[in-house]
Amino acid sequence: MQELTHYMNGEHVKGVSGRFSDVFNPATGEVQAQCPLASTDEVAKAVEIAAAAQPAWAAVNPQRRARVMMKFVDLLNRDMDKLAEALSREHGKTLPDAAGDVQRGLEVVEYCIGAPQMLKGEFTDSAGPGIDMYSMRQPLGVTAGITPFNFPAMIPMWMFAPAIACGNAFILKPSERDPSVPLMLAELMEEAGLPKGILQVVNGDKEAVDALLDNPIVQSIGFVGSTPIAEYIYSRGCANGKRVQCFGGAKNHMIIMPDADMDQAADALVGAGYGAAGERCMAVSVAVPVGDETADRLIEKLVPRIEALKVGPYTAGNDVDYGPVVTQAAQQNILRLVQTGVDQGAELVVDGRDFSLQGYEDGFFVGPHLFDRVTPDMDIYKQEIFGPVLSTVRAGSYEEAIGLAIDHEYGNGTAIYTRDGDTARDFANRINIGMVGINVPIPVPLAYHTFGGWKKSAFGDLNQHGPDAFKFYTRTKTITSRWPSGIKEGGEFNFKAMD
Ligand code: NAD
């Protein structure tokens, strides 16, 4: 059995807490590795190493720091297949999806090559007689991030690339369910020229997270995961005086207007609802057709598409649409919620409960499910299922449809399918959700824009990547300097002269 490590001070380090968690191959159900769970002392050690290494890194000029990112991009491309395979083996997603996971992280690294431009300060010449004023963005020091299982390459890179480009040290606490790719990324960053101790990976669970939250040297915490943990980390981190941004769960609605191209809408729903087995925070999990006729047309188009989906292990080739979910607990939770939907009166139009794959009977596969006539009081509407389950809520009007999305407690992403520009514009303006697609099902912003939800999907006031990341990972210092010539001209420092 493979025993995984932490990555500290440029080396793979064995866990010494004596605690481990199982890492599964979700396709077979077998335990393939043991992930060490760090103790408070092991986390403290990583923080100490980071604190010692960070000042020298902050003193490296931004262009040189950017060159490390450039080289890292080359190495990611070189190792793309290896990374994707390691990712699929622990997560279960298909190989093209795993390569996409790496690619969307890589794009943020590319954006961080622009650090010298992003970190340029502001300068006011002659703010008063002989007085200049300037602002500069300085790194925070030791920063940390806690990431979820569903994007084990992309989300760590969304955090550590801007943090490190800004001159910080970064401690990554990845998901204990798929920790191998984060360890590989740390190795590649060092191969790209990053000094030891600037990026470390500490594997663990709540104990490691709490140790980061309570360590006074750690200046900021980034978190992506489920909403209850996001709320916990946000409140404990803020109470400890840290800068914190937390991104939580989702229940993304897609509204289908009667004038929408129904084939496009159905294709989009199948990709966005079932891709990656629904384990995406930007997955569409609720379809809201407007009018019964639209709903009937949509369901008619959806059913054959969903029934044609190929579910299988990543090793079965590129025509597999989605793989297993991450653990048996996730599989059972999804099937429990499906049963709750049936019990509460929703109509199960496509029933994937009996799904089984020959040769992979112990894998954590879940067949695709489609519900119709779901109502807002049902658990399957209120809760995030995070599986291949699409719920249809029929709305009588556009107002009722937008009202559903507005009233839902989550606000990560949403979409509208329509040919009517006026409706699309009204939707984009009124909706209280962070990322909006117009005839686009998964509106994930590109690296140079920012990513973040509203309501219970995000806590904190700055988004991930884009310009917000450079704000999150730096603090501003503003200097007012007076030169002797100004004093001579105005005699003693003369504030009036500044008016
Ligand atoms: P999770 O909340 O279970 O775990 C996330 C991280 O928190 C992991 O590193 C885990 O070890 C740690 N953790 C778990 N329990 C903890 C506890 N009690 N105390 C401290 N730390 C704890 O989430 P997950 O299952 O890994 O990921 C799926 C969730 O992430 C979904 O809800 C999904 O919507 C969300 N997500 C959100 C976004 C976004 O940008 N909003 C992106 C991806 C995933």
Side-chain angles (χ1 to χ4, degrees):
M1 176 75 53
Q2 189 192 4
E3 185 180 315
L4 298 171
T5 58
H6 308 297
Y7 194 80
M8 286 161 60
N9 207 19
E11 281 170 24
H12 285 277
V13 177
K14 279 180 94 134
V16 294
S17 71
R19 294 195 308 123
F20 292 89
S21 70
D22 292 336
V23 179
F24 292 92
N25 176 341
T28 61
E30 285 160 1
V31 177
Q32 57 180 336
Q34 295 282 306
C35 174
L37 303 175
S39 64
T40 305
D41 287 348
E42 287 170 288
V43 172
K45 179 83 190 143
V47 173
E48 211 177 282
I49 293 164
Q54 188 269 334
W57 177 241
V60 170
N61 81 52
Q63 203 164 4
R64 284 177 188 273
R65 295 202 300 258
R67 285 188 195 132
V68 173
M69 296 296 160
M70 271 188 236
K71 178 80 180 148
F72 182 49
V73 168
D74 289 345
L75 299 178
L76 288 171
N77 280 316
R78 183 196 71 189
D79 287 0
M80 183 64 82
D81 292 347
K82 206 163 106 185
L83 289 161
E85 209 273 334
L87 200 157
S88 292
R89 196 169 357 106
E90 288 183 354
H91 177 285
K93 63 174 79 172
T94 64
L95 282 172
D97 228 11
D101 191 329
V102 179
Q103 176 65 26
R104 292 309 291 264
L106 179 157
E107 287 165 13
V108 170
V109 182
E110 283 175 333
Y111 176 71
C112 292
I113 294 170
Q117 170 69 14
M118 296 305 296
L119 294 172
K120 274 192 331 203
E122 295 174 331
F123 186 86
T124 303
D125 169 51
S126 298
I131 296 175
D132 298 328
M133 201 174 281
Y134 60 98
S135 301
M136 53 193 188
R137 306 202 76 92
Q138 293 193 313
L140 304 177
V142 178
T143 58
I146 297 140
T147 53
F149 80 86
N150 68 326
F151 283 100
M154 178 184 87
I155 294 177
M157 284 192 263
W158 283 10
M159 293 183 186
F160 74 65
I164 289 172
C166 287
N168 298 288
F170 190 89
I171 298 175
L172 173 64
K173 205 305 282 170
S175 171
E176 63 276 38
R177 294 179 226 167
D178 44 15
S180 290
V181 169
L183 290 164
M184 292 164 77
L185 296 176
E187 280 176 9
L188 289 181
M189 278 292 277
E190 269 184 42
E191 191 181 339
L194 190 72
K196 294 181 195 317
I198 299 300
L199 175 60
Q200 297 179 97
V201 180
V202 177
N203 283 306
D205 57 1
K206 182 171 164 42
E207 182 173 339
V209 172
D210 287 348
L212 288 168
L213 286 170
D214 294 344
N215 191 312
I217 296 170
V218 176
Q219 299 296 303
S220 77
I221 299 276
F223 172 84
V224 178
S226 59
T227 288
I229 311 297
E231 280 183 302
Y232 163 72
I233 288 179
Y234 189 69
S235 57
R236 187 153 169 174
C238 289
N240 285 338
K242 300 189 195 310
R243 187 177 287 193
V244 190
Q245 58 173 191
C246 294
F247 299 89
K251 196 78 180 174
N252 302 321
H253 293 51
M254 180 167 130
I255 294 173
I256 302 98
M257 297 299 291
D259 67 350
D261 180 317
M262 219 45 75
D263 284 305
Q264 267 184 22
D267 285 340
L269 275 170
V270 171
Y274 301 92
E279 290 178 320
R280 290 182 183 138
C281 67
M282 290 293 276
V284 171
S285 49
V286 183
V288 188
V290 172
D292 269 331
E293 201 198 319
T294 312
D296 292 341
R297 279 164 57 215
L298 183 70
I299 297 280
E300 197 184 308
K301 298 221 178 256
L302 280 174
V303 170
R305 285 168 165 82
I306 296 169
E307 285 175 345
L309 285 170
K310 274 196 81 174
V311 184
Y314 73 92
T315 44
N318 286 353
D319 60 336
V320 169
D321 291 297
Y322 72 83
V325 297
V326 68
T327 55
Q328 191 174 36
Q331 180 193 39
Q332 284 172 353
N333 189 47
I334 294 162
L335 294 173
R336 179 187 63 77
L337 276 161
V338 167
Q339 190 56 46
T340 309
V342 172
D343 295 345
Q344 292 180 350
E347 193 182 315
L348 190 54
V349 183
V350 178
D351 185 350
R353 285 176 295 182
D354 289 338
F355 181 86
S356 170
L357 198 62
Q358 209 184 357
Y360 293 91
E361 287 79 4
D362 294 331
F364 311 137
F365 292 95
V366 179
H369 295 79
L370 174 66
F371 276 112
D372 192 6
R373 300 182 192 280
V374 173
T375 54
D377 55 316
M378 293 179 183
D379 289 348
I380 54 168
Y381 179 73
K382 291 189 276 195
Q383 294 177 28
E384 182 181 41
I385 301 175
F386 224 53
V389 184
L390 180 64
S391 297
T392 310
V393 182
R394 294 175 174 233
S397 64
Y398 166 67
E399 279 306 319
E400 193 186 329
I402 190 173
L404 284 165
I406 286 172
D407 289 344
H408 204 284
E409 66 171 355
Y410 289 118
N412 212 38
T414 189
I416 188 165
Y417 269 65
T418 180
R419 288 191 168 92
D420 184 80
D422 219 15
T423 307
R425 184 171 185 277
D426 180 80
F427 183 73
N429 281 333
R430 280 169 60 202
I431 198 72
N432 56 355
I433 289 173
M435 292 171 281
V436 181
I438 296 169
N439 299 314
V440 171
I442 306 187
V444 177
L446 292 176
Y448 39 93
H449 288 265
T450 71
F451 180 108
W454 289 16
K455 300 188 275 183
K456 290 262 180 190
S457 295
F459 305 85
D461 56 3
L462 287 169
N463 279 350
Q464 301 193 80
H465 63 64
D468 275 13
F470 282 85
K471 292 191 182 128
F472 184 75
Y473 287 110
T474 54
R475 48 169 75 95
T476 306
K477 187 181 280 174
T478 305
I479 293 107
T480 307
S481 65
R482 180 171 54 150
W483 295 94
S485 60
I487 300 172
K488 267 187 239 141
E489 277 169 28
E492 262 314 292
F493 182 57
N494 183 356
F495 279 101
K496 272 199 122 168
M498 292 183 77
D499 294 339

